[in-house]
Amino acid sequence: MTNVTLNNGISMPQLGFGVYQIENSDEAVNSVKAALANGYRHIDTAAAYMNEREVGQAIKASGVPREEIFVTTKLWVQDVGYENTKKAFEKSLQRLDLDYIDLYLIHQPYGDVHGSWKAMEELYKDGKIKAIGVSNFSEDRLMDLIAFNEITPAVNQIEVNVFHQRDDLDQFNKSQGVYTEAWAPFAEGRNNLFENEVLIEIGEKYNKSVAQVISRWLVQRDIIVLAKSVKEERIRQNIDVFDFELTDEDMKRITDLNTDQSQFFDHKDPERIKNISNVKFDI
């Protein structure tokens, strides 16, 4: 496992285990336990994923010392604003049953994100959060937050996959000292990702799966990667990406797969923003 150093000096494992859409309680606990047993030390959850409690239970049951595990969770849109953020953070902390969070992100770039950021800056200074960041922020939204606040986000977690490679946003993030973190790097298998001939051919050269090739491609781009599975064999396989290196030719062939099209949705779409504003969770 390699680590990256965030802009405040905090070390973060470059490959993490994501728990989005793992909503069954037993499955969530068992998946996180399996991830920790197989060497993952970075777990990514969110209030909106409805499994923070299970993540905390798995961490407690794992036997891995808390200080060895990097835990990320996120603030949902219903809780943006200064006071709401303080309350939402405490609820996440209680559900996770932890004394601190390693990385706390604003989940969506909507609503009173400046009020939320002020609250997060205070929580960071109080030592309750080791690093603060954002998710799904475009260049303009990120600069707006940086320009009008004291602390620059450590991470911008965004969609990155072989069909939507986000090189411009990644370069902008890096220019501001912000690490790019890829959610859904396997695009949830969309666009026949796992049957892609280029990725299969590259994988065969190294005796690696398509998923391993993609994770390695992102690692070599100096991007933080989130891999997700509920099957222990895949969980074990997905972390095994640090014993080979893609050539420049391999990297170029993967670059050529880019379509610059999201495999999910456009975060700048007005109808999408309106719909997200109405998504409420019992958290």
Side-chain angles (χ1 to χ4, degrees):
M1 176 66 70
T2 60
N3 283 22
V4 301
T5 301
L6 303 180
N7 59 18
N8 64 349
I10 294 295
S11 181
M12 178 180 184
Q14 191 172 7
L15 193 149
F17 184 73
V19 298
Y20 176 55
Q21 293 179 328
I22 309 180
E23 296 175 7
N24 176 279
S25 293
D26 290 342
E27 195 170 56
V29 172
N30 292 334
S31 296
V32 175
K33 285 172 63 178
L36 292 169
N38 283 283
Y40 291 80
R41 292 296 181 266
H42 167 190
I43 308 296
D44 180 277
T45 185
Y49 298 171
M50 306 295 288
N51 55 23
E52 289 176 308
R53 198 176 309 278
E54 288 75 12
V55 168
Q57 290 170 0
I59 289 171
K60 287 288 192 299
S62 72
V64 179
R66 166 66 184 98
E67 62 271 16
E68 294 182 11
I69 305 173
F70 191 100
V71 179
T72 299
T73 193
K74 309 177 191 75
L75 175 79
W76 187 243
V77 291
Q78 72 196 59
D79 290 317
V80 294
Y82 179 84
E83 293 294 342
N84 286 342
T85 297
K86 289 285 187 83
K87 294 174 184 175
F89 174 80
E90 289 299 330
K91 288 180 180 179
S92 284
L93 203 62
Q94 290 169 13
R95 285 190 293 268
L96 286 159
D97 194 18
L98 299 175
D99 295 325
Y100 66 92
I101 301 297
D102 295 276
L103 178 63
Y104 195 50
L105 305 180
I106 297 177
H107 203 154
Q108 302 287 349
Y110 312 130
D112 184 13
V113 295
H114 285 276
S116 291
W117 197 250
K118 292 294 184 188
M120 290 164 63
E121 287 181 329
E122 291 179 11
L123 291 164
Y124 169 74
K125 291 175 182 178
D126 289 342
K128 292 188 174 182
I129 309 171
K130 299 298 183 183
I132 53 178
V134 297
S135 183
N136 301 307
F137 275 55
S138 56
E139 291 93 335
D140 58 327
R141 298 295 285 148
L142 184 61
M143 181 51 76
D144 176 60
L145 201 68
I146 292 170
F148 291 96
N149 289 283
E150 178 183 351
I151 298 175
T152 296
V155 166
N156 187 10
Q157 187 181 117
I158 59 173
E159 177 193 350
V160 187
N161 53 67
V162 297
F163 306 120
H164 195 36
Q165 299 188 8
R166 314 302 294 277
D167 188 60
D168 287 349
L169 181 49
D170 176 46
Q171 291 305 314
F172 181 79
N173 288 341
K174 287 180 168 71
S175 75
Q176 301 303 312
V178 180
Y179 246 100
T180 301
E181 182 172 19
W183 61 255
F186 311 143
E188 296 182 1
R190 299 183 187 199
N191 201 19
N192 295 316
L193 177 78
F194 294 110
E195 286 76 47
N196 185 277
E197 292 182 1
V198 170
L199 299 174
I200 290 172
E201 187 176 320
I202 293 172
E204 287 175 346
K205 182 165 65 167
Y206 301 102
N207 195 28
K208 295 292 183 179
S209 70
V210 167
Q212 288 170 312
V213 168
I214 292 168
S215 290
R216 184 67 211 179
W217 167 71
L218 287 164
V219 165
Q220 288 183 212
R221 288 181 64 194
D222 197 26
I223 290 175
I224 301 163
V225 190
L226 293 175
K228 171 216 162 183
S229 180
V230 296
K231 298 178 180 178
E232 185 160 5
E233 181 181 352
R234 292 282 179 82
I235 290 171
R236 187 182 304 114
Q237 185 184 81
N238 286 343
I239 198 174
D240 185 22
V241 300
F242 298 99
D243 60 349
F244 75 109
E245 185 169 345
L246 300 173
T247 65
D248 290 343
E249 181 185 356
D250 296 331
M251 296 292 285
K252 173 63 166 56
R253 293 182 70 193
I254 296 172
T255 297
D256 289 344
L257 298 176
N258 190 31
T259 66
D260 268 334
Q261 297 296 315
S262 170
Q263 300 303 293
F264 300 94
F265 37 73
D266 179 3
H267 278 85
K268 294 184 178 181
D269 175 36
E271 194 62 30
R272 167 84 184 162
I273 298 169
K274 179 181 178 182
N275 290 339
I276 283 184
S277 74
N278 294 318
V279 176
K280 302 288 193 294
F281 296 95
D282 185 18
I283 51 180

